[in-house]
Amino acid sequence: MRCTLFFVPPGEVAPLPVTFSQSKTIADLREGHCLLVPVSDDVEWTDNVWPKSIRELEGLISDSTGCPRFFENWVEEKSRESNKLLMVVAVRSNCCYGYLLGSPKITGYSETRVVPVFFDRVGELALDFPVPFELALSSKNLEALIKHARSFRPHSGDTQKDLHLRHALDELANTLDKYASRSQQA
């Protein structure tokens, strides 16, 4: 079985535009719920210890979360929604091993099948597309904004945030500069 999986955290962004911008083909897209389970580095993590049944998977999740009925409650709650896939992905460092859960509603929790899903590659989906907007400024204010955007050096103490803001300001200055040049030619 070959498929593409998109994990979109709830409430951050609508899944359809994200998946469409990445794959352009959404005819077979099915929504669902995925439980990401961190596995401690001190746990042996090889194919001979990976869970092979719902009970073994429940044991792994119980050990990882410290809550014996967490997984069963999650499955029962999420399986109430019709036509939604349920998946569990155990994550240890950059290694992921997943399970597609087969019809817990119909068979009942204890008889739920677990279908292994292997990941060749795990990456982060970056939602980074241009956002068009309209801005009307006087030419005097436009020049001041471009100059300030190019000269401002953020110093928040967080290098990552400062770099991100610096890139955003450069992008803003370049865009403003481009449109200022176009309006002067017109």
Side-chain angles (χ1 to χ4, degrees):
M1 178 173 100
R2 294 194 59 135
C3 65
T4 302
L5 299 173
F6 294 99
F7 294 100
V8 181
E12 287 193 14
V13 67
L16 282 176
V18 173
T19 55
F20 186 73
S21 71
Q22 294 296 316
S23 73
K24 306 290 187 243
T25 169
I26 58 173
D28 295 328
L29 181 67
R30 282 195 52 202
E31 288 185 65
H33 299 283
C34 181
L35 179 63
L36 298 173
V37 181
V39 177
S40 173
D41 285 337
D42 61 344
V43 172
E44 182 186 357
W45 195 239
T46 57
D47 59 350
N48 62 333
V49 297
W50 290 336
K52 295 168 187 63
S53 69
I54 193 78
R55 291 294 173 205
E56 290 178 13
L57 187 56
E58 180 179 45
L60 172 73
I61 295 169
S62 176
D63 291 346
S64 296
T65 62
C67 300
R69 290 195 36 104
F70 177 82
F71 180 56
E72 184 176 353
N73 292 337
W74 182 83
V75 169
E76 288 174 359
E77 176 190 334
K78 299 302 181 189
S79 66
R80 290 184 194 135
E81 298 178 48
S82 63
N83 204 28
K84 297 259 181 160
L85 296 174
L86 293 183
M87 178 178 270
V88 175
V89 177
V91 182
R92 181 171 176 218
S93 300
N94 281 338
C95 178
C96 293
Y97 188 78
Y99 299 91
L100 189 60
L101 304 181
S103 305
K105 268 190 297 205
I106 297 165
T107 60
Y109 173 76
S110 62
E111 299 300 315
T112 299
R113 290 180 306 116
V114 292
V115 179
V117 177
F118 299 94
F119 298 93
D120 291 330
R121 182 172 46 119
V122 177
E124 189 173 325
L125 178 65
L127 183 62
D128 190 17
F129 51 85
V131 179
F133 66 94
E134 210 172 299
L135 179 64
L137 291 171
S138 71
S139 59
K140 182 179 175 182
N141 291 338
L142 178 62
E143 289 172 19
L145 185 57
I146 292 171
K147 181 179 176 184
H148 186 69
R150 293 211 187 281
S151 64
F152 181 73
R153 298 288 173 236
H155 299 288
S156 70
D158 183 333
T159 308
Q160 193 79 358
K161 285 183 181 178
D162 287 350
L163 184 61
H164 186 72
L165 179 56
R166 181 71 253 143
H167 289 307
L169 289 169
D170 287 342
E171 190 175 345
L172 174 64
N174 291 339
T175 302
L176 291 173
D177 211 12
K178 181 171 71 173
Y179 284 100
S181 297
R182 282 187 191 170
S183 64
Q184 289 172 354
Q185 292 173 357

